[in-house]
Amino acid sequence: MGTLIVLGEFNHVIISAAEIWIGILLDANVSVPEWFFRNFLPALVGNVLGVVFVTLFFHYVRPSPRSARKVTIRTSGLCRMI
């Protein structure tokens, strides 16, 4: 996932927050409202949507509990289903 962030020139909310404050401390020509609306909010929306879609994808492709094989263990004449 980190490769996609770099290759797609996407921003991560935490990293962009750290970068902007360092830039402000070093007298960069940027204001907090400009950064918030042009960088932070779009990155936040992208990060949230990314997490939602990745989570939904993994829930969709995981095997269902019904498809799991049942294992029978015989211990001293008793049969247990796991």
Side-chain angles (χ1 to χ4, degrees):
M1 290 306 255
T3 304
L4 290 176
I5 291 173
V6 172
L7 292 178
E9 297 181 14
F10 300 117
N11 286 332
H12 191 274
V13 173
I14 303 300
I15 301 302
S16 92
E19 290 174 344
I20 193 64
W21 292 115
I22 291 170
I24 289 173
L25 288 174
L26 296 174
D27 294 328
N29 188 17
V30 65
S31 66
V32 174
E34 178 186 8
W35 161 76
F36 186 79
F37 290 110
R38 296 190 70 206
N39 190 307
F40 183 80
L41 282 181
L44 179 65
V45 170
N47 290 173
V48 169
L49 289 177
V51 167
V52 168
F53 285 120
V54 167
T55 303
L56 289 174
F57 172 76
F58 282 117
H59 279 289
Y60 177 74
V61 299
R62 73 177 177 163
S64 67
R66 293 181 187 163
S67 67
R69 275 186 35 202
K70 293 192 177 197
V71 178
T72 303
I73 300 175
R74 296 188 183 268
T75 57
S76 62
L78 300 174
C79 183
R80 289 185 176 166
M81 295 291 284
I82 298 178

